[in-house]
Amino acid sequence: MCLLGDAQARPDLILSDISMPGLDGAALIKALRAAPGTARIPAILMSGLALPRGLLEAASASLDVGPVFIKGGDLQDLMTRVAGLLRPQDERQVVIDPLKRTVRIGGVQLPELPARRFQLLCALLREPRAMSREELLEGAWDGKDNLNVVDVTVLRLRQDLKDLPFLRIETVPAGYRLLIGPYSL
């Protein structure tokens, strides 16, 4: 894990078993998501254990890793998921045009957004970690509003992004975090 801090040695994809001695797969993914340098490395959890389907679905949803791959399952399914996650870096590139208030992530043009929602999205894109409501207020609007504006704007931005399954604004105890997942183009 110490190599992950080095940008030259950072992997493009993490394949991890759920059940491992010491640090299990879920704990590993949580640790990676919490660190700014590794938060956006795509991951696939795998398991050979006969775990209840609901438990596997809950684990994958909470970690934003997609369905858990069951060892012995369809290898072509795994390879398709890996290929989708390993798109060339330029396809995952974020391009922001502040004059037109547009954002392109990979090959996907996001809808044009009203000013406040665009500013909030840009603040979330700048930081891969969770941001408090206070940080978002300062980062998006220079702290010139009250905290309720952040919550209302997040709600409206979620509606704007509802048709883009690879973008999700996660509510965390400290505030919010933007998750950019595998592309479903």
Side-chain angles (χ1 to χ4, degrees), residues 95-107:
V95 178
I96 299 171
D97 183 341
L99 296 176
K100 294 180 182 175
R101 289 199 312 259
T102 60
V103 176
R104 177 179 292 279
I105 299 177

Side-chain angles (χ1 to χ4, degrees), residues 45-59:
L45 282 176
M46 304 184 319
S47 180
L49 301 175
L51 297 170
R53 172 64 84 206
L55 178 65
L56 294 175
E57 289 172 358

Side-chain angles (χ1 to χ4, degrees), residues 116 137-138 140-147 149:
R116 283 189 179 267
L137 186 62
E138 185 64 33
W141 306 295
D142 298 326
K144 294 180 181 167
D145 278 300
N146 66 49
L147 291 177
V149 168

Side-chain angles (χ1 to χ4, degrees), residues 32-44:
L32 292 170
R33 296 288 190 255
T38 58
R40 294 200 174 151
I41 296 175
I44 297 174

Side-chain angles (χ1 to χ4, degrees), residues 128-142:
R129 64 177 175 80
M131 296 178 69
S132 70
R133 293 163 67 224
E134 292 83 3
E135 289 175 305
L136 286 168
L137 186 62
E138 185 64 33
W141 306 295
D142 298 326

Side-chain angles (χ1 to χ4, degrees), residues 6-176:
D6 178 11
Q8 298 296 333
R10 191 167 301 131
D12 294 322
L13 174 71
I14 307 275
L15 291 172
S16 177
D17 199 311
I18 288 178
S19 179
M20 300 184 298
L23 186 70
D24 67 33
L28 171 67
I29 300 302
K30 282 183 184 179
L32 292 170
R33 296 288 190 255
T38 58
R40 294 200 174 151
I41 296 175
I44 297 174
L45 282 176
M46 304 184 319
S47 180
L49 301 175
L51 297 170
R53 172 64 84 206
L55 178 65
L56 294 175
E57 289 172 358
S60 65
S62 71
L63 297 169
D64 193 43
V65 294
V68 173
F69 179 76
I70 305 301
K71 292 179 185 177
D74 183 6
L75 189 56
Q76 185 57 46
D77 176 49
L78 177 62
M79 297 310 291
T80 300
R81 287 178 57 196
V82 166
L85 292 170
L86 291 178
R87 293 181 186 272
Q89 187 62 33
D90 62 336
E91 288 189 26
R92 293 182 285 193
Q93 183 178 20
V94 176
V95 178
I96 299 171
D97 183 341
L99 296 176
K100 294 180 182 175
R101 289 199 312 259
T102 60
V103 176
R104 177 179 292 279
I105 299 177
V108 179
Q109 178 73 45
L110 276 58
E112 187 173 331
L113 298 168
R116 283 189 179 267
R117 286 176 256 175
F118 174 76
Q119 292 161 341
L120 177 66
L121 179 61
C122 290
L124 288 166
L125 284 166
R126 281 192 294 271
E127 287 290 337
R129 64 177 175 80
M131 296 178 69
S132 70
R133 293 163 67 224
E134 292 83 3
E135 289 175 305
L136 286 168
L137 186 62
E138 185 64 33
W141 306 295
D142 298 326
K144 294 180 181 167
D145 278 300
N146 66 49
L147 291 177
N148 292 334
V149 168
V150 174
D151 298 327
V152 170
T153 308
V154 165
L155 179 68
R156 290 180 179 158
L157 182 57
R158 282 178 172 151
Q159 286 297 311
D160 292 329
L161 304 177
K162 72 179 188 283
D163 294 329
L164 302 168
F166 63 90
L167 283 179
R168 185 166 56 95
I169 300 173
E170 178 183 50
T171 302
V172 296
Y176 299 100

